[in-house]
Amino acid sequence: MRPSILYTFVFSSLAYLANGANDASFKWNNCGNAHNAVQVKSVQIVPDPPLPGQEWTVEVVVDILKPVEEGATGALTLELGGLTVLDQPFDICEEATNCPIKPGKYTVKRTVTLPLGFLVGMYVINVVGHKRDGGDLMCLDVSGEINVPGL
């Protein structure tokens, strides 16, 4: 799977789950700690709720507390219904297009289309990042159930 397709799918998954923030079925957890270099501060979705087959925008705000240097890596695991359907490593600097990433507040904004054929079920997503020396950069767990309205 090409990275751009992978990240559009994962970004769509995360954003769709984040839409349920006021719903008891949505959960997210910073599985890292306060000393990790990357801290997620907020996730916004417009329109809310997103509709399958239509464009919508996801905005994620992060604080980078320490420089992210060349050689930083990440890994994404996606489970659907308890089965791992994706376990994908990635190069953080390639995704960011530029390293080092200096400390500061960053906003990442993407417009995507949620596929009409998006599979329903319980999704669990884990994203971790590591520094070149293997130390932790960040960790995020997201879980929630995606259902088709009216079914």
Side-chain angles (χ1 to χ4, degrees), residues 6-7 68-69 71-77 87-95 126-132 134-139:
L6 165 69
Y7 296 106
V68 176
E69 303 290 339
T73 61
L76 179 135
T77 304
D87 192 2
Q88 180 71 43
F90 59 94
D91 183 309
I92 290 173
C93 295
E94 281 183 23
E95 292 303 314
N126 173 258
V127 181
V128 295
H130 299 285
K131 298 183 282 186
R132 175 179 39 204
D136 294 336
L137 277 176
M138 59 87 60
C139 180

Side-chain angles (χ1 to χ4, degrees), residues 103-142:
K105 189 175 192 175
Y106 292 86
T107 301
V108 179
K109 190 174 185 178
R110 298 280 191 269
T111 299
V112 296
T113 300
L114 186 65
L116 285 171
F118 208 77
L119 296 174
V120 298
M122 177 58 77
Y123 282 81
V124 177
I125 300 168
N126 173 258
V127 181
V128 295
H130 299 285
K131 298 183 282 186
R132 175 179 39 204
D133 68 6
D136 294 336
L137 277 176
M138 59 87 60
C139 180
L140 178 65
D141 287 326
V142 179

Side-chain angles (χ1 to χ4, degrees), residues 4-56:
S4 60
I5 294 171
L6 165 69
Y7 296 106
T8 297
F9 175 76
V10 171
F11 202 60
S12 296
S13 301
L14 286 168
Y16 195 85
L17 292 171
N19 173 58
N22 296 322
D23 186 317
S25 69
F26 168 80
K27 295 177 180 88
W28 74 274
N29 177 48
N30 177 0
C31 48
N33 64 56
H35 300 291
N36 288 149
V38 179
Q39 300 287 323
V40 177
K41 294 299 183 182
S42 69
V43 177
Q44 288 187 313
I45 302 164
V46 177
D48 187 2
L51 300 171
Q54 295 185 7
E55 280 193 353
W56 47 284

